[in-house]
């Protein structure tokens, strides 16, 4: 029987949204159902993200549990929160009953602790309930927090025939089988098999004689970024998760890793700009302020520090007013150099491409700072001398100070991330305002100290 | 027959590298082969990335073509370049002969145009040669540049039985089948099938009666980031690529998208820091300078601009020396605010979560700037008044100027990316030094203009 739907690529147009809203308004359930069921649940979620909460709730209550549970997963986080608040604990339990355990656990974890207990209480399938409860116990920022309990596992003592008989039930719940995992009597992971291997083997053979002993796995407390790295490295589409004793606990599939990668990229990008929480452009002003103000305050204290230093050298500037003209230039350049250096190092640390030799790196950064500093200093020399009519000594001072500050900024930008990384702190925290603030203070200090040395005040 | 290898997770230790280097030195080919063939090719590549070029070449020439071609793909880009330079065109042709067409095309594309012609000339399999040549014609930053020719396709006119007979040959070359694509007589994509559907159907049925008409696809000139978005949205593991007439041209698999995602994240991160080319921490000083200096120069010109403005207001500062103390603070805060705003907007544009209403956004950013600006200004007010003993008027001036500059920076940081995006320019270019430089100039200008207004000079 063919699928009658035409092959039209989904497009979220205003007309479509209005059409849906109209059908909701006139309560044409039959037509609404017919229209929406043509779409992939990710597309239905896109539509619901655009309509009012009431309209979304109408649709959620209209469509069947299996569809709405998947739609719930795809909704914008903030909208999902609102929808969940408008569903009873029993209704939520019905929704998650239709989901894979990892998605079910994710949704439940978004609720308050009290609601979590209520929802779990209402889950009908005892096995499903137990599995979800187990998953909720894991830290969400680990392999355990990512994995699902759905997988196909066979015991090495089984025969191929017995195997095929028993896995039909397991395979029904598993959307994409990928590999079949082989465990021993203590449920410890010992190897893997593909469906093809199983079908090709003689029915009387023992699993123990045909499975592949070499299988990639991750520990349940592994960092999600590490899991992503391993799966990308070995081109895996699924990876089993085990505990410290190699007992098979669950499985992570590639689609979850894609989400991890995209969220990680967003998070690092925001950290680099000094935004400390996961915010979106459409969040409330209060949420955005909470996320942005901390770093602004840190940057501000850097500015206060710079102000104190300038204050301390104020007589120098009465004598050599040209010095002050170039303060913004020195600050800006030091900041840019520092951010560039740290961005490269942070990426290198994330991709494991940083050579261990610290001394070599120190030399390289100094040389790089010198080369770039010289290039910039030469331009500044000309402009300050011919443009601003500074004296020869003043111009040289500004340039030498500039080069020194640049070299120093390159070193700071390189070694703060490495230092943080060696102490287990996320090096991505180092970039952005943290680096620019350090550079502001050290930059101004160096600038004036060099000037003092050369011009003698 | 079981796989005899023990299930040991690969670890790149110094001992292992030394062991490999020793075996190479004493030319113990048999042991070297035995040792290395235990490892996944991605692990062999990791080992080769750590040894000298001569040692790597030794291993490459020792192992069989099928393994070394995969190893070549996994090598660090710079090392692969060196290895390829040390292989003859015929040898490279043998390597790529064993690769999937997308990987083969990627390797050949890394060579000079002349070597490309030589290598292609030496490829033995005429079909493989034709397919690789076709792929090389596509822009590497499109779906065409990502796709492989290997896929399983069946004509809607076939019967199920005829289908199963004919696809054995196709399926042999395809590592993971995922979906079978259905085409009409003009080779246009009309639908899809799963292996399961095929096996379950009656052998006399026609494909035309059983295939699924709804299939996701991408056009051959589609942006790789768009492809990644679609595959992530619909949880696809492979997606067919078609031309404007819907003729099936190739297929992109999820492992290639993982690589795209990881490279995109790196690239955006570097752009935000003002690094204009794809550089790594271990690149040469010349390469790093070429990538970093342009932005430093732009930042420098921003500093020159600021210097000119300060120069223009130099008498103001003789009267009100406190003004100059806070220049770095104003610059730093404006810079941070601008970078934060643009980071959020750039991400929103990339994830399509930006609401179209520009006026609403304008108001929101102004309000955000006001709130954050007030918070910071209050702290500055206290510190400048009690810490630096500025007069009441001076403190108020500095604070009002600060708030104005912050609001302005938030607006600049928000609207430059949106402006660029509407003109089709990569908004990620907006963040980093570009924004901070604009903010430097406008910030200083605003600061002094406000001061002039209030203090009246």
């Amino acid at each position: 029987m063919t699928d009658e739907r035409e092959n039209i690529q989904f497009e979220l147009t205003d007309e479509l949204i209005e059409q849906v809203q109209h059908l909701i308004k006139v309560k044409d359930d039959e037509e609404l159902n017919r229209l929406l069921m043509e779409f992939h649940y990710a597309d239905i979620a896109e539509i619901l993200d655009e309509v009012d909460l009431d309209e979304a709730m109408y649709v959620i209550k209209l469509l069947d549990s299996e569809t709405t549970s998947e739609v719930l997963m795809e909704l914008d986080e903030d909208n999902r929160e609102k929808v969940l608040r408008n569903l009873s604990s029993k209704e939520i339990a019905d929704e998650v009953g239709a989901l894979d355990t990892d998605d079910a656990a994710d949704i439940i974890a978004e609720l308050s602790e009290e609601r979590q207990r209520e929802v779990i209480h209402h889950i009908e399938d005892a096995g499903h309930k137990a599995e979800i409860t187990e998953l909720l116990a894991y830290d969400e920022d680990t392999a355990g927090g990512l994995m699902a309990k759905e997988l196909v596992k066979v015991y090495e003592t089984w025969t191929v025939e017995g195997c095929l008989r028993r896995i039909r039930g397991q395979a029904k719940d598993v959307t994409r089988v990928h590999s079949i995992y082989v465990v021993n009597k203590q449920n410890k992971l010992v190897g893997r098999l593909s469906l093809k291997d199983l079908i090709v083997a003689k029915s009387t053979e023992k699993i123990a004689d045909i499975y592949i002993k070499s299988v990639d796995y991750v520990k349940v407390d592994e960092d999600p970024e590490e899991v992503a790295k391993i799966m990308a490295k070995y081109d895996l589409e699924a990876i089993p998760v085990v505990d410290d004793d190699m007992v098979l606990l669950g499985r992570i599939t590639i689609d979850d890793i894609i989400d991890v990668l995209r969220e990680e990229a967003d998070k690092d990008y925001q950290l680099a700009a000094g935004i400390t929480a996961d915010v979106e452009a459409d969040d409330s002003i209060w949420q955005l302020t909470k996320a942005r103000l901390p770093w602004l305050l840190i940057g501000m204290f850097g500015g206060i520090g710079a102000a104190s230093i300038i204050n301390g050298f104020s007589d120098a500037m009465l004598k050599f007013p040209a010095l002050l003209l170039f303060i913004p230039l020195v600050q800006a350049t030091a900041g840019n150099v520092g951010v560039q250096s740290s961005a490269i190092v942070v990426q290198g640390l994330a991709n494991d491409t940083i050579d261990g030799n610290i001394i070599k790196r120190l030399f390289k950064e100094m040389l790089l700072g010198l080369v770039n500093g010289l290039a910039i200093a030469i331009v500044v020399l000309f402009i300050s001398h011919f443009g601003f009519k500074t004296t020869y000594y003043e111009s040289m001072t500004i340039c030498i100070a500039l080069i020194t500050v640049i070299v120093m900024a390159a070193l700071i930008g390189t070694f703060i991330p490495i230092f943080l990384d060696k102490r287990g702190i996320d090096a991505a925290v180092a970039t952005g305002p943290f680096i620019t603030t350090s550079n502001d203070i050290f930059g101004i200090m160096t600038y004036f100290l060099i000037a003092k040395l050369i011009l003698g005040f």
Side-chain angles (χ1 to χ4, degrees), chain A:
Chain A
M1 192 191 74
T2 59
D3 190 301
E4 292 301 331
R5 296 177 283 169
E6 287 245 24
N7 189 19
I8 304 170
Q9 299 284 282
F10 180 77
E11 239 193 280
L12 187 67
T13 59
D14 289 332
E15 291 81 38
L16 179 59
I17 298 174
E18 280 162 19
Q19 184 183 7
V20 169
Q21 290 177 308
H22 170 75
L23 291 171
I24 294 173
K25 192 156 153 204
V26 302
K27 298 199 196 305
D28 190 343
D29 290 358
E30 195 183 313
E31 180 60 21
L32 194 52
N33 216 313
R34 191 204 64 78
L35 173 68
L36 291 177
M37 289 311 280
E38 269 192 24
F39 301 134
H40 189 278
Y41 48 78
D43 296 325
I44 300 176
E46 267 193 32
I47 298 173
L48 295 190
D49 273 333
E50 298 296 319
V51 302
D52 296 334
L53 180 57
D54 299 325
E55 293 166 327
M57 291 309 304
Y58 188 90
V59 170
I60 301 252
K61 305 225 171 173
L62 172 68
L63 302 175
D64 63 275
S65 231
E66 204 173 314
T67 307
T68 53
S69 57
E70 300 281 4
V71 168
L72 266 177
M73 287 308 299
E74 300 295 325
L75 283 178
D76 179 77
E77 213 177 305
D78 295 329
N79 293 335
R80 177 166 57 245
E81 195 190 333
K82 295 182 192 146
V83 166
L84 289 176
R85 253 187 271 139
N86 277 278
L87 292 171
S88 71
S89 298
K90 172 94 182 63
E91 286 170 320
I92 299 179
D94 289 337
E95 297 291 349
V96 304
L99 285 174
D100 281 352
T101 46
D102 57 339
D103 294 335
D106 285 345
I107 282 194
I108 293 177
E110 290 181 6
L111 304 168
S112 68
E113 280 210 30
E114 187 184 324
R115 286 209 90 194
Q116 284 186 29
R117 277 193 294 270
E118 286 176 22
V119 169
I120 293 174
H121 174 73
H122 278 118
I123 297 176
E124 295 186 348
D125 187 313
H128 204 52
K129 184 191 308 206
E131 291 182 331
I132 293 174
T133 310
E134 180 193 332
L135 288 182
L136 284 168
Y138 297 114
D139 193 305
E140 71 169 358
D141 210 27
T142 61
L146 270 182
M147 71 183 187
K149 301 293 287 179
E150 285 83 0
L151 48 79
V152 179
K153 90 178 175 203
V154 300
Y155 288 87
E156 56 176 349
T157 49
W158 290 354
T159 61
V160 167
E161 180 191 3
C163 209
L164 284 167
R165 228 187 323 121
R166 287 170 170 123
I167 68 175
R168 252 169 223 122
Q170 293 187 48
K172 231 182 345 92
D173 293 329
V174 180
T175 319
R176 287 188 185 117
V177 175
H178 297 130
S179 273
I180 296 170
Y181 302 117
V182 182
V183 297
N184 64 14
K185 271 186 282 188
Q186 290 87 36
N187 277 304
K188 299 191 188 193
L189 178 70
V190 292
R192 61 184 167 96
L193 263 181
S194 69
L195 258 178
K196 195 181 79 168
D197 297 337
L198 211 50
I199 295 172
V200 150
K202 286 210 192 69
S203 49
T204 49
E205 284 191 88
K206 277 194 176 306
I207 297 297
D209 296 327
I210 63 169
Y211 75 87
I212 303 168
K213 285 209 173 78
S214 134
V215 56
D216 299 296
Y217 61 83
V218 286
K219 292 287 177 67
V220 70
D221 54 6
E222 185 63 86
D223 191 86
E225 287 193 64
E226 272 304 309
V227 179
K229 247 187 242 181
I230 296 173
M231 292 184 76
K233 181 181 177 191
Y234 297 120
D235 279 339
L236 301 172
E237 289 175 340
I239 194 165
V241 182
V242 300
D243 67 7
D244 281 328
D245 297 314
M246 288 299 290
V247 171
L248 180 60
L249 296 176
R251 174 180 93 135
I252 296 174
T253 47
I254 193 78
D255 50 300
D256 291 323
I257 287 304
I258 297 258
D259 295 335
V260 165
L261 284 176
R262 301 181 89 207
E263 282 164 25
E264 273 305 312
D266 283 357
K267 194 182 84 180
D268 286 343
Y269 197 74
Q270 292 200 340
L271 269 180
I275 298 163
T276 54
D278 182 23
V279 288
E280 281 183 333
D282 290 328
D283 284 342
S284 75
I285 292 196
W286 171 237
Q287 284 170 311
L288 286 164
T289 300
K290 262 206 314 185
R292 295 170 61 166
L293 199 53
W295 283 113
L296 294 181
L297 287 169
I298 290 178
M300 184 209 73
F301 280 111
I304 301 289
S308 314
I309 294 171
I310 298 177
N311 203 24
F313 284 99
S314 48
D315 11 289
M317 258 172 314
L318 286 169
K319 266 204 232 168
F320 301 98
L323 279 181
L324 95 84
L325 287 185
F326 290 93
I327 290 176
L329 189 145
V330 171
Q331 298 289 70
T333 314
N336 288 345
V337 168
V339 164
Q340 282 180 346
S341 295
S342 66
I344 292 180
V345 169
V346 166
Q347 283 201 325
L349 287 168
N351 297 332
D352 285 327
T353 55
I354 294 284
D355 196 293
N357 196 329
I358 298 292
I359 307 293
K360 227 173 87 181
R361 185 155 301 285
L362 205 146
F363 260 131
K364 185 172 184 183
E365 282 301 316
M366 276 174 63
L367 202 48
L368 193 80
L370 266 165
V371 170
N372 283 303
L374 260 160
I376 295 187
I378 288 174
V379 183
V380 170
L381 185 68
F382 272 94
I383 294 183
S384 80
H385 197 68
F386 295 107
F388 292 94
K389 310 277 183 257
T390 50
T391 69
Y392 177 68
Y393 268 117
E394 280 173 328
S395 311
M396 285 308 292
T397 303
I398 290 165
C399 288
I400 291 173
L402 189 60
I403 295 175
T404 314
V405 167
I406 287 175
V407 170
M408 189 203 64
L411 289 173
I412 289 182
T414 302
F415 287 99
I416 286 190
I418 292 182
F419 177 80
L420 289 176
D421 184 69
K422 285 215 187 298
R423 269 143 194 74
I425 302 171
D426 189 352
V429 165
T431 54
F434 189 65
I435 293 267
T436 49
T437 304
S438 323
N439 279 321
D440 278 352
I441 301 185
F442 289 113
I444 269 276
M445 203 150 60
T446 310
Y447 182 68
F448 279 112
L449 287 175
I450 300 260
K452 179 174 169 131
L453 260 169
I454 299 179
L455 298 173
F457 48 77

